Amino acid sequence: MFIHPLSVFSVLASGIINCLAATPLEPRWDDVRTKHAWGAVPEHWETLGHPAAGTTIDLHIALEPQRKNAVIDALYEVSYPRSPKYGAHLSSEQLADIVAPHPDTLTLVNSWLKHHGVHPSSVSRSHGGGWLTVADVSMSQANSILGASYQLYRHAKTNETAIRTISYGLPVELHSHVKSVAPTTYFSSPGMLRHTPRLRRWAGTLGRGLSRRDDIESVTPSFLRWLYKTEGYEPAAIDRNKLGVAGFIGDSPSPLDLRLFMTAYRTDAVTATFNVFLINGGRYDPNTPSVEGNIDIQYTGAMAFPTPLTYYSTGSEAGTDPYLSWLNFMLSLDDNELPRTISTSYGGFEETLPPDLAESVCELYAQLGVRGVSVLFSTGDFGVGHDCTDSSGNIRFRVMFPASCPWVTSVGGTMDYPEVAASLSGGGFSNLFSRPAYQGRAVPTYLENLGSRYDGLYNANGRGIPDISAQAHQCVFVHRVEDYTGKGTSIAVPIAAGIVSLLNDYRLSKGRTPLGFLNYWLYDFGIANLGLNDIISGSNPGCNTDGFTASTGWDPVTGLGTLDFVELIHEL
């Protein structure tokens, strides 16, 4: 196993402050208006007072691009099957051209930072100049730059600590130039990001489970490969295709558990292994593996073997948001280093994110799609939500981010055979992101049939999730040499990602480009009921309701359905 201790912030230092001219008239940097604020300290967090003397953080500043919506326009062009540019994914250099900020934006931001005593050597650029990182900012300087009051906070349930502020602002001059700054008001605990499956020790015999159409005692890779019709396919582009798994908060997979899992459930894959990259203080300890790390590696590996598999473990040094750290690293990779499919089993309820940060992070996922990467996220295990009373005392359904980002493919859960919706399957409608164009036909059809039921509990104009589903119940895995079964969409997403990786393998083996962002393609064929198994039974209760119901076509329980590999390769 080869471990690369790489830092997410290994980007070229830039002399952006020295090389740009000052503005003719100095703006009023003291005229600060709020960019985002919470009315109170977010639930479950408590302040511990000021951070220790000498504490510093890195500030990440997202800048408005010169060509607004250029990334989303490019994503459509390379992802929509009927576009003349379909599959013509952009290189990192081409992407940099379309995300670059206007020179006036850089001039203003440089002047602002200089006004607050930021030295040019502390500033670096990434994502084509679309983001600036200001390193080693003291607490007093951060408070001055952002009109903030940074404190050390502790999460009451996890005991994790974070340096955050409940509000921050920007000079009026910069509101149209700066999209977001982090870390500021995002309070989600790293430990709460994980969609850890619910598990139990399995009393059955190791290696024995559902392999075809027997009574469902447990779900195994052989059953999944039969169900989704991948068992007859031999990957032929393993020299060009890679499959990635995103890991956070110290989750680690075990090579020993992987070998035991394959020995029991996929004997032709006992040689399966994986590489590990450590990002921004990420940790990897195979001697103390986590349930999440093991499941993600075992199911991606079992579905896509012998496709090269990489585990990306991301930490949160310098107070950095782990999603930003991971995205910064991935987008810095050369085209031949990028995995073509990525499975991610983490997320948090949407309303815990500042909208400006959610939008900035979501666009970075779109940039991965433009580069030709298929990114899949689990939708969570709470149906339409839990703890659903908002600050005004009203009940509202809740969805997970980043699954709710329109530029990723969100994965819900099914169970049994014939498949029905798993009741835990997270699904619903975003309150942050409007309905994307690719859902313009599928979602309104469902809402028309739903009628007035649940009016006021969800955003009928929001992006609907999930997009697709996979088995998420009674799935076997090995953890610390013991056999278990688990359930959750964090099992469904590595299964789906494994299938997508095989689809990418097929395209690459035929001399074509990878699929990249999937949803334009999926909805184009899903509406026509091509290549997907429509799930028409089951529901996802939550918030003291019965939740939504699976039905013909797209639904906010199982999306368009589960993937039929054999049928889908005919659409490639």
Side-chain angles (χ1 to χ4, degrees):
M1 182 177 304
F2 188 41
I3 302 178
H4 303 261
L6 297 179
S7 168
V8 71
F9 298 118
S10 55
V11 296
L12 294 175
S14 170
I16 56 173
I17 296 181
N18 284 336
C19 68
L20 294 170
T23 52
L25 295 175
E26 188 76 4
R28 289 182 53 202
W29 297 129
D30 60 343
D31 186 7
V32 175
R33 304 287 173 86
T34 300
K35 184 70 171 177
H36 181 260
W38 300 115
V41 175
E43 188 179 15
H44 303 308
W45 288 90
E46 57 185 4
T47 181
L48 300 179
H50 295 289
T55 299
T56 64
I57 57 174
D58 293 349
L59 291 178
H60 302 277
I61 305 171
L63 305 179
E64 290 285 355
Q66 181 171 356
R67 297 165 54 194
K68 198 170 182 64
N69 299 321
V71 170
I72 305 308
D73 291 343
L75 185 66
Y76 172 81
E77 289 180 339
V78 301
S79 306
Y80 182 55
R82 303 178 196 184
S83 165
K85 295 184 179 180
Y86 178 64
H89 302 113
L90 273 58
S91 67
S92 56
E93 294 78 15
Q94 291 171 320
L95 179 60
D97 288 340
I98 68 172
V99 301
H102 193 283
D104 290 350
T105 294
L106 287 174
T107 300
L108 282 169
V109 172
N110 293 335
S111 176
W112 170 54
L113 293 175
K114 182 179 179 181
H115 173 80
H116 287 285
V118 174
H119 193 274
S121 63
S122 300
V123 183
S124 59
R125 295 172 63 178
S126 59
H127 313 310
W131 284 73
L132 302 183
T133 297
V134 186
D136 299 323
V137 181
S138 69
M139 292 295 92
S140 60
Q141 192 176 33
N143 287 335
S144 176
I145 292 172
L146 297 172
S149 179
Y150 278 95
Q151 303 278 319
L152 181 64
Y153 293 88
R154 179 173 60 200
H155 195 277
K157 292 186 176 181
T158 68
N159 286 323
E160 291 163 301
T161 59
I163 296 172
R164 295 293 186 267
T165 176
I166 62 170
S167 68
Y168 81 100
L170 295 171
V172 172
E173 289 271 0
L174 293 182
H175 272 249
S176 61
H177 296 273
V178 173
K179 293 195 289 187
S180 63
V181 182
T184 50
T185 54
Y186 179 32
F187 274 79
S188 181
S189 163
M192 303 302 284
L193 294 174
R194 183 192 287 121
H195 289 170
T196 301
R198 308 169 207 178
L199 69 157
R200 65 179 178 88
R201 183 171 278 111
W202 187 35
T205 303
L206 187 68
R208 184 181 181 278
L210 181 64
S211 60
R212 286 293 187 274
R213 297 175 60 175
D214 310 314
D215 291 337
I216 294 186
E217 180 181 357
S218 61
V219 171
T220 66
S222 56
F223 167 68
L224 294 169
R225 295 173 67 220
W226 168 80
L227 179 65
Y228 300 134
K229 301 180 183 178
T230 67
E231 61 183 349
Y233 182 76
E234 294 289 337
I238 59 175
D239 59 330
R240 287 154 285 166
N241 193 29
K242 298 182 182 71
L243 174 56
V245 174
F248 299 95
I249 53 182
D251 281 335
S252 296
S254 161
L256 173 59
D257 288 338
L258 176 62
R259 179 167 56 82
L260 292 173
F261 179 77
M262 294 302 193
T263 299
Y265 301 113
R266 186 166 177 185
T267 56
D268 64 328
V270 293
T271 59
T273 186
F274 55 93
N275 293 325
V276 177
F277 278 79
L278 303 182
I279 302 170
N280 194 37
R283 302 190 303 274
Y284 173 64
D285 183 0
N287 296 316
T288 56
S290 65
V291 170
E292 189 62 71
N294 268 335
I295 284 177
D296 289 346
I297 284 294
Q298 288 170 25
Y299 274 94
T300 48
M303 297 304 294
F305 178 83
T307 302
L309 185 58
T310 301
Y311 188 81
Y312 299 92
S313 177
T314 304
S316 54
E317 285 186 351
T320 307
D321 174 81
Y323 293 135
L324 280 179
S325 301
W326 182 85
L327 283 159
N328 195 19
F329 174 77
M330 299 304 293
L331 285 164
S332 72
L333 295 176
D334 292 336
D335 293 339
N336 61 352
E337 297 176 311
L338 275 172
R340 292 304 164 194
T341 311
I342 298 172
S343 173
T344 315
S345 298
Y346 300 79
F349 283 121
E350 202 179 57
E351 65 273 14
T352 65
L353 279 92
D356 58 335
L357 179 62
E359 291 172 7
S360 298
V361 170
C362 185
E363 185 174 291
L364 292 178
Y365 284 112
Q367 291 185 29
L368 278 177
V370 171
R371 294 280 304 278
V373 180
S374 305
V375 182
L376 291 82
F377 267 91
S378 56
T379 59
D381 304 335
F382 302 106
V384 294
H386 78 130
D387 295 336
C388 304
T389 304
D390 65 18
S391 58
S392 301
N394 301 313
I395 301 294
R396 291 282 291 182
F397 291 167
R398 309 173 76 189
V399 297
M400 292 284 182
F401 178 88
S404 65
C405 169
W407 317 124
V408 305
T409 299
S410 58
V411 184
T414 64
M415 59 186 288
D416 296 342
Y417 180 80
E419 289 184 279
V420 299
S423 60
L424 55 75
S425 184
F429 300 87
S430 173
N431 290 308
L432 292 180
F433 302 101
S434 59
R435 183 186 306 142
Y438 59 76
Q439 289 190 323
R441 292 170 56 195
V443 171
T445 299
Y446 181 86
L447 294 178
E448 183 179 351
N449 293 328
L450 181 66
S452 61
R453 190 181 188 191
Y454 300 141
D455 277 0
L457 299 187
Y458 69 96
N459 175 20
N461 297 312
R463 185 269 205 266
I465 65 170
D467 299 304
I468 56 173
S469 293
Q471 286 276 325
H473 195 262
Q474 292 297 94
C475 298
V476 300
F477 65 99
V478 176
H479 181 59
R480 301 189 181 186
V481 307
E482 297 285 345
D483 213 32
Y484 290 86
T485 60
K487 57 183 178 180
T489 58
S490 57
I491 304 175
V493 70
I495 293 170
I499 300 170
V500 171
S501 183
L502 295 181
L503 292 169
N504 275 324
D505 179 276
Y506 179 84
R507 281 186 62 88
L508 291 168
S509 71
K510 301 298 181 183
R512 303 170 193 163
T513 56
L515 287 165
F517 177 56
L518 299 169
N519 290 10
Y520 286 109
W521 177 70
L522 285 171
Y523 280 83
D524 198 40
F525 292 113
I527 292 171
N529 200 29
L530 297 172
L532 293 114
N533 307 305
D534 195 4
I535 311 302
I536 60 173
S537 180
S539 62
N540 58 351
C543 301
N544 296 317
T545 73
D546 293 333
F548 296 111
T549 301
S551 63
T552 301
W554 181 89
D555 58 70
V557 190
T558 62
L560 296 166
T562 59
L563 302 177
D564 183 323
F565 178 77
V566 170
E567 292 298 320
L568 284 172
I569 61 174
H570 295 318
E571 309 301 333
L572 295 177

